[in-house]
Amino acid sequence: MLGSSGTAVELLELPHRLLAAAVEHDPADIDPWRPGDPAPPDVRGLLGRWWGEGFEYVFSWHEGALRARGAGDPPGKPPAVFAPVPDQPDVLRTVSGRENGELLRLTRDAAGVVVRMHWATYRFTRRQETFDGFDFRG
């Protein structure tokens, strides 16, 4: 749209009318957010931030499945998605994303709280830790 006018009243209103028409006739394909079902009680202790191999991950419950993403992952990077392994409590398999096909094994304390996990054999803890017995001095 081009125009020249001393008052430009009609020109100032036209972009707003065009934008309103675009939204009405060509709406964006965005699924509205809806709250999902809460995580089952045996999974709730897994949710939140965990550290593995010096990197921070966030475990969450979304669309009925446990998921994990690197804390610094870009928004479009798909998460790892886990599914329970039948007849093996506290063992899940990665069904898509990072470490696809690998197991996630949970270690619980006497009270049943998950205190450690091993994903694809890598140890995950709630806080960043060094490797036990490893001498960083060489």
Side-chain angles (χ1 to χ4, degrees):
M1 168 180 96
L2 295 173
S4 176
S5 171
T7 59
V9 174
E10 292 82 17
L11 294 176
L12 294 175
E13 293 174 6
L14 181 59
H16 299 285
R17 290 196 313 266
L18 291 174
L19 289 170
V23 168
E24 179 183 350
H25 298 292
D26 189 20
D29 295 329
I30 299 173
D31 292 329
W33 179 84
R34 291 181 181 87
D37 293 331
D42 62 326
V43 174
R44 290 181 191 152
L46 304 175
L47 305 181
R49 298 183 178 275
W50 289 83
W51 287 87
E53 297 290 309
F55 294 95
E56 187 177 24
Y57 293 83
V58 178
F59 285 75
S60 62
W61 184 258
H62 187 72
E63 296 180 356
L66 180 66
R67 295 180 174 203
R69 300 177 50 81
D73 284 355
K77 184 175 182 180
V81 180
F82 302 91
V85 174
D87 301 322
Q88 293 189 47
D90 291 340
V91 179
L92 299 103
R93 184 170 302 280
T94 314
V95 294
S96 68
R98 178 185 176 90
E99 306 294 355
N100 189 19
E102 296 288 344
L103 296 178
L104 174 68
R105 297 177 186 276
L106 313 178
T107 302
R108 297 180 187 268
D109 65 12
V113 175
V114 176
V115 294
R116 186 173 46 257
M117 301 188 295
H118 286 86
W119 182 17
T121 72
Y122 297 105
R123 183 178 67 164
F124 280 71
T125 57
R126 282 293 188 180
R127 57 180 207 265
Q128 191 174 20
E129 297 179 3
T130 61
F131 298 100
D132 291 350
F134 187 80
D135 186 352
F136 287 98
R137 294 172 288 172

